[in-house]
Amino acid sequence: PPVPRRAAHNFNQKPVLTVRALMEPGSVSGADFAPAGGGLSADEVARWLLTCKRLSTNRIGDYLGRPDAGPVLLALVARLDLRSLPLDEALRFFLSLFRLPGEAQQIARVIETFAARYAACHAAGALSRADTVYVLCYSLIMLNVDAHSPRIPEAAKMTSDQFVSNNRGIDDGADLPRELLEQLYSSVVAREVKIEQREFIESSAQGWLLKHGGRGGCCGV
């Protein structure tokens, strides 16, 4: 069923209640914007989030980071064809769709779901493990902060060799191809990945890296 136009306004005010009303008509009192003829599926809500230009990207990110948004988040990433994209370009595209939520746990949930989808799209390549892609995504985000933050002096910025070293053993104990890591490094350093939550990520970068394998020194913060 089509989504009533006024649902976008309601989503920008109360995203959780709006999605609940769209998926379960009658579950939210006073939700006169619920679709007629039955509720929307998670896939239909995901398509709406991707295509409705009236929706706030901030609100989309906040909603997708919630634990109870799992089915919609899975449906959303399942709609993305990432087969032809290198990881950094896929990450750029994904992060252009919404603003990352503000809490570390929410960000982790969103990136983990993206990583699983990317790995599934590259099952025959070097990045076929979801856990590997997940760690590498965070490594690229930290590199992005390091390379493009004005707070970090040029002399202190990470080198290609340091980036490769920081990512040793992340593929279930094995190393990823050096050429792949060098290509990712060069691409991110040459062109910033736009992340609106960079200040939050920058402040929490070192703590996350220490908790996930102790790879300190990835980011000069």
Side-chain angles (χ1 to χ4, degrees):
V3 180
R5 184 178 179 86
R6 60 187 176 278
H9 171 76
N10 288 82
F11 180 88
N12 292 337
Q13 303 300 316
K14 297 180 178 180
V16 176
L17 290 180
T18 301
V19 172
R20 185 183 305 164
L22 292 175
M23 297 182 72
E24 304 171 19
S27 65
V28 179
S29 177
D32 60 352
F33 54 86
L40 302 181
S41 66
D43 181 67
E44 288 170 325
V45 172
R47 181 175 59 188
W48 180 59
L49 295 181
L50 286 171
T51 59
C52 182
K53 296 181 180 180
R54 299 188 304 277
L55 299 180
S56 163
T57 56
N58 289 9
R59 290 300 196 178
I60 294 174
D62 290 341
Y63 174 73
L64 293 177
R66 294 175 54 88
D68 55 0
V72 174
L73 177 59
L74 285 170
L76 186 147
V77 298
R79 284 185 159 271
L80 306 180
D81 185 358
L82 307 175
R83 290 173 295 179
S84 65
L85 298 176
L87 181 57
D88 64 299
E89 290 299 327
L91 193 59
R92 290 179 206 277
F93 169 64
F94 183 62
L95 296 180
S96 74
L97 300 175
F98 55 88
R99 183 177 186 262
L100 277 175
E103 298 179 9
Q105 192 173 24
Q106 293 177 313
I107 293 174
R109 189 176 295 115
V110 170
I111 297 298
E112 183 177 20
T113 306
F114 165 80
R117 174 60 177 167
Y118 188 87
C121 288
H122 293 263
L127 297 177
S128 60
R129 296 178 184 271
D131 287 347
T132 302
V133 178
Y134 176 71
V135 174
L136 189 52
C137 280
Y138 265 97
S139 188
L140 289 174
I141 290 172
M142 298 309 129
L143 169 63
N144 188 66
V145 173
D146 182 282
H148 300 287
S149 173
R151 301 180 186 179
I152 303 174
E154 287 296 324
K157 291 187 182 295
M158 194 190 322
T159 67
S160 178
D161 286 342
Q162 288 171 330
F163 179 72
V164 171
S165 178
N166 289 336
N167 287 286
R168 285 176 181 163
I170 66 171
D171 190 27
D172 196 28
D175 292 345
L176 292 170
R178 184 182 182 93
E179 181 181 5
L180 168 64
L181 294 175
E182 289 178 339
Q183 288 173 345
L184 291 172
Y185 173 89
S186 296
S187 179
V188 170
V189 170
R191 187 160 64 97
E192 181 179 4
V193 178
K194 300 296 183 181
I195 303 174
E196 292 187 58
Q197 286 286 19
R198 187 169 68 182
E199 287 189 5
F200 169 81
I201 292 171
E202 185 171 342
S203 67
S204 62
Q206 203 67 6
W208 186 91
L209 289 170
L210 290 174
K211 286 189 291 184
H212 291 74
R215 297 184 183 86
C218 174
C219 204
V221 295

